[in-house]
C-alpha cells in the first residue's frame, strides 16, 4: 500500500523492486495469514473487503478461500500497485477479485461484506481505530474483522546476539519509526479494536524462523526498499559495511553462529461482530 498520513513519507516506496519484495515476503507469510482468516471464520461464498491490497497477495489468498461463489474487493491507493495486482489476478485465473483505487480513510461501498481484512496496513495509519470504526460499517451482523500486523521488538531481541543482523534490523526499525510507522503493533491492535467499538479481538503473535536463504534475503531486500528514507533521515549506514556484499555476510553470520534467521513478528487480531437480534 501507499502511505495515508499527510505528515509522513511512506517508507517502502512503490518501485518494481519493492513490488517483487512484497511478493517474496507474501510467499513466506501467506500460510500465517491463511490460518488467521480460517480461524476468523472466512469460508467459501463469503464477500471480503481487503484493505491496503498492494500488489494483490492477500486478495488472491482470500479469493482462493472464498472460492468461485465468493467475492473479494481490494482497496489500494497506489495505481502502479493496482495495475500489477490486476495483472497477477488475471494470470492466476481468478475471476472473483476486483480492485478499487481509494485511500483507506475514504472507502465507500454500497455492498455489505462478510469480512474486512488487511495485512501490514494499520501500522501506517495515524488513527487505526478510526479506520476500523469506519470499515466496520460495511460488515454484516455476525461478520468478521481480521488484521495481520507486524511488530519489531521480538526480532530486535532475537537478533541482539548477531552483530550484523542486529545493526540491520535496528536500522530498518528506526527508519520505519522516523517515517511515521508504528513499529509496536502488538501494543496497539487490541486498543484500536476496542476504541473502534469492536469486541475485544482474539490475538496471536508468531515469528517465522529458519536457516534457508530467505531470511538474509528478506533483511537485505527490506534495507534496499527503505534505504532512500534511511538516507533522508540521515541515519548512518557505515555499520553495515559494503552494501553489495551485505546479503552474503548476513547469511555467513547465520552459518558461523549456527543461528537460524528470522523475519518480522506478525500479530493476528480478529473478532466477530454481534449477530443481528432476532425479530
Amino acid at each position: 500500500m501507499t502511505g495515508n498520513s499527510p505528515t509522513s513519507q511512506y517508507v517502502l516506496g512503490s518501485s518494481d523492486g519493492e513490488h517483487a519484495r512484497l511478493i517474496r515476503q507474501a510467499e513466506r507469510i501467506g500460510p500465517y495469514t491463511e490460518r488467521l482468516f480460517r480461524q476468523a471464520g472466512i469460508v467459501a461464498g463469503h464477500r471480503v473487503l481487503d484493505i491496503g491490497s498492494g500488489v494483490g497477495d492477500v486478495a488472491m489468498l482470500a479469493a482462493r478461500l472464498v472460492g468461485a461463489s465468493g467475492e473479494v474487493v481490494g482497496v489500494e491507493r497506489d495505481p502502479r500497485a493496482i495495475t500489477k495486482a490486476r495483472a497477477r489476478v488475471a494470470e492466476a485465473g481468478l475471476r472473483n477479485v476486483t480492485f478499487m483505487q481509494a485511500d483507506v480513510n475514504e472507502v465507500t461501498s454500497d455492498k455489505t461484506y462478510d469480512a474486512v481484512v488487511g495485512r501490514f496496513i494499520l501500522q501506517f495509519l495515524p488513527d487505526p481505530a478510526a479506520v476500523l470504526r469506519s470499515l466496520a460499517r460495511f460488515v454484516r451482523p455476525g461478520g468478521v474483522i481480521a488484521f495481520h500486523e507486524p511488530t519489531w521488538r521480538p526480532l530486535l531481541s532475537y537478533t541482539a546476539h548477531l552483530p550484523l543482523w542486529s545493526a540491520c534490523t535496528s536500522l530498518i526499525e528506526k527508519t520505519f519509526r522516523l517515517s511515521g510507522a508504528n513499529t509496536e503493533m502488538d501494543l496497539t491492535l487490541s486498543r484500536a479494536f476496542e476504541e473502534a467499538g469492536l469486541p475485544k479481538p482474539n490475538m496471536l503473535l508468531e515469528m517465522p524462523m529458519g536457516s534457508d536463504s530467505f531470511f538474509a534475503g528478506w533483511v537485505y531486500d527490506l534495507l534496499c526498499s527503505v534505504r532512500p528514507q534511511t538516507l533522508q533521515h540521515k541515519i548512518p549506514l557505515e555499520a553495515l559495511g559494503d552494501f553489495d556484499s551485505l546479503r552474503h555476510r548476513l547469511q555467513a553470520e547465520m552459518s558461523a553462529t549456527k543461528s537460524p534467521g528470522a523475519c518480522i513478528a506478525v500479530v493476528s487480531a480478529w473478532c466477530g461482530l454481534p449477530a443481528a437480534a432476532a425479530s
Side-chain angles (χ1 to χ4, degrees), residues 5 88 112 147-148 180 263:
S5 169
R88 296 180 69 212
T112 299
F147 279 81
H148 227 176
C263 69

Side-chain angles (χ1 to χ4, degrees), residues 1 10 12-31 33 52-61 64 80-89 91-92 99 119-120 214 217-218 221-222 225 263:
M1 64 154 286
Y10 180 56
L12 292 169
S14 185
S15 66
D16 291 340
E18 168 58 12
H19 290 171
R21 185 198 72 80
L22 286 171
I23 294 169
R24 289 192 292 272
Q25 177 178 270
E27 290 176 356
R28 199 68 175 223
I29 296 178
T33 306
S53 290
V55 292
D57 289 286
V58 172
M60 291 192 292
L61 187 160
R64 294 184 176 101
R80 292 189 73 253
I82 290 178
T83 298
K84 180 70 173 180
R86 285 173 174 157
R88 296 180 69 212
V89 164
E91 183 179 359
F99 295 95
R119 183 170 71 194
F120 292 14
F214 165 81
W218 178 83
D221 289 345
L222 193 51
S225 287
C263 69

